[in-house]
Amino acid sequence: MLSDFPPLPALDHEASAVQKPDLTFVVSASFTAEPLLPGLRFWFKELGLQAAAETAPYGQVLQELLNPASALSSNKRGVSVVLLRVRDWLRELPSDRTQSIDDLRTYLEKTVHEFVRAMRTHRGHASVETLLVLCPSYRYSTPDEKALLAQTESELLENL
């Protein structure tokens, strides 16, 4: 029964006015990043920061980087964060193309080029700093694939 719940306290309208955050953290990731938000918000509160955290749409890293109106690119106060796991790029490939290390190499070289170009475009219209975090990849099929992913990460960092 609703009558079993205690009454809600009266709200002080001045105190409950929404305060605009001093900092905004926008996170775009190649994987599901929403589970990071409660931890970020906890630390903002613990540190006494007037900060907000939000995520860009799932798996839309390139689109967020290229679109000047995206949450990542239009952030005016704070930091934009890109979380990238290079192994996630291979999800795009049909299974028959993942069997050949040469196909993987060609695909990853092309993807690195596109990502670097997108990051440079983003930096051309971004107002705040962009933090790129290379997250560890997982589930290597072969030692060759593991080496290729490490090489791809190095190329990415070298080009940025």
Side-chain angles (χ1 to χ4, degrees), residues 31-139:
F31 50 88
T32 304
E34 283 79 7
L36 298 172
L37 295 182
L40 284 172
R41 290 178 182 138
F42 168 82
W43 283 109
F44 295 157
K45 186 176 177 183
E46 283 294 305
L47 296 170
L49 297 174
Q50 283 296 104
E54 62 184 78
T55 57
Y58 168 77
Q60 300 291 308
V61 175
L62 284 176
Q63 294 86 335
E64 286 288 310
L65 290 171
L66 292 170
N67 181 0
S70 71
L72 191 72
S73 294
S74 64
N75 187 2
K76 300 289 184 218
R77 307 181 77 169
V79 67
S80 296
V81 181
V82 176
L83 304 175
L84 178 63
R85 194 169 45 204
V86 172
R87 177 76 172 81
D88 291 344
W89 285 343
L90 301 181
R91 289 188 308 230
E92 310 286 321
L93 287 175
S95 60
D96 62 322
R97 290 206 41 217
T98 61
Q99 305 306 312
S100 164
I101 199 73
D102 291 330
D103 283 348
L104 291 178
R105 182 174 289 108
T106 301
Y107 178 76
L108 288 173
E109 286 171 356
K110 177 182 169 234
T111 306
V112 163
H113 176 73
E114 289 173 357
F115 184 84
V116 168
R117 195 176 79 226
M119 184 63 87
R120 288 185 178 148
T121 299
H122 164 74
R123 291 305 313 144
H125 54 247
S127 300
V128 298
E129 295 298 321
T130 304
L131 177 64
L132 171 63
V133 180
L134 288 180
C135 301
S137 291
Y138 61 97
R139 260 189 334 154

